[in-house]
């Protein structure tokens, strides 16, 4: 399937925190590990590749940072499980001190059925990530959404 006909996943959420705090939540693994993955090899920085791990699932992804505009945008190439795609975060600071976070995931690879399955999985996954981020930043609660989404898949 060509990227031209490949689906694009779009999810968004308003977070009631300033843009700098919301942006930091995605680039600083000491924050991100509180609501998404469990381990990282480092902060997101332009031109750098880091590894994100979901230890409970025995899964990981290599994340190459293609663009990083502080408090505005993050663009990465993500690869894991033999697949790759492009993920872009956009951070819109709003006059009331809130932040609208928009995530687009595109350029899925594989057969048409595999691409559709990846897009559906990404839609649910990034929706959980944004909900977890909202609960964590606004209320200090780790809902364990990502960890509890597939409890039977946890590594023993």
């Amino acid at each position: 399937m060509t990227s031209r006909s490949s689906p694009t996943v779009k999810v968004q959420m308003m977070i009631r925190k300033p843009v700098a705090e919301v942006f930091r939540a995605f680039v600083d693994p000491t924050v991100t590990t509180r609501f998404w993955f469990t381990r990282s090899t480092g902060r997101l920085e332009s031109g750098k590749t880091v590894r994100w791990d979901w230890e409970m699932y025995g899964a990981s992804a290599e994340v190459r940072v293609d663009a990083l505009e502080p408090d505005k945008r993050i663009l990465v190439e993500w690869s894991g499980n033999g697949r790759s795609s492009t993920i872009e975060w956009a951070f819109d600071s709003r006059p009331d001190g809130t932040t609208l976070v928009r995530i687009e995931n595109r350029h899925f690879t594989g057969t048409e059925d595999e691409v559709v399955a990846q897009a559906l999985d990404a839609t649910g996954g990034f929706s959980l990530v944004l909900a977890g981020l909202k609960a964590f930043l606004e209320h200090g609660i780790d809902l364990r959404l990502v960890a509890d989404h597939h409890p039977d898949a946890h590594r023993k």
Side-chain angles (χ1 to χ4, degrees), residues 2 11 45 108:
T2 65
V11 297
E45 297 173 13
F108 299 98

Side-chain angles (χ1 to χ4, degrees), residues 18-25 27 43 68-74 89-94 98-101:
V19 69
E21 188 174 343
V22 177
F23 184 84
R24 178 177 171 250
V27 299
R43 290 178 64 93
L68 192 137
E69 300 169 36
D71 302 340
K72 298 268 188 232
R73 175 177 173 251
I74 303 167
W89 288 261
F91 302 84
D92 297 326
S93 179
R94 302 173 65 92
T98 63
T99 304
L100 180 65
V101 181

Side-chain angles (χ1 to χ4, degrees), residues 25-144:
F26 284 102
V27 299
D28 182 350
T30 65
V31 180
T32 323
T33 54
R34 302 290 308 274
F35 67 92
W36 191 6
F37 47 80
T38 58
R39 187 173 43 169
S40 174
T41 58
R43 290 178 64 93
L44 295 186
E45 297 173 13
S46 191
K48 185 176 176 181
T49 298
V50 298
R51 177 182 159 138
W52 290 344
D53 293 301
W54 291 263
E55 295 166 298
M56 69 292 240
Y57 299 122
S60 66
E62 294 293 317
V63 180
R64 185 187 74 223
V65 182
D66 293 332
L68 192 137
E69 300 169 36
D71 302 340
K72 298 268 188 232
R73 175 177 173 251
I74 303 167
L75 179 67
V76 304
E77 184 71 22
W78 156 302
S79 60
N81 299 324
R83 301 277 185 229
S84 67
S85 65
T86 302
I87 304 166
E88 183 171 10
W89 288 261
F91 302 84
D92 297 326
S93 179
R94 302 173 65 92
D96 61 357
T98 63
T99 304
L100 180 65
V101 181
R102 292 178 286 116
I103 301 174
E104 287 193 13
N105 192 186
R106 56 189 177 271
H107 303 136
F108 299 98
T109 58
T111 67
E112 188 172 340
D113 287 346
E114 290 169 335
V115 165
V116 169
Q118 290 171 62
L120 290 171
D121 187 50
T123 300
F126 282 116
S127 294
L128 288 176
V129 166
L130 287 178
L133 169 70
K134 184 176 185 70
F136 181 70
L137 289 185
E138 291 183 15
H139 305 286
I141 301 169
D142 176 4
L143 294 176
R144 298 187 44 84

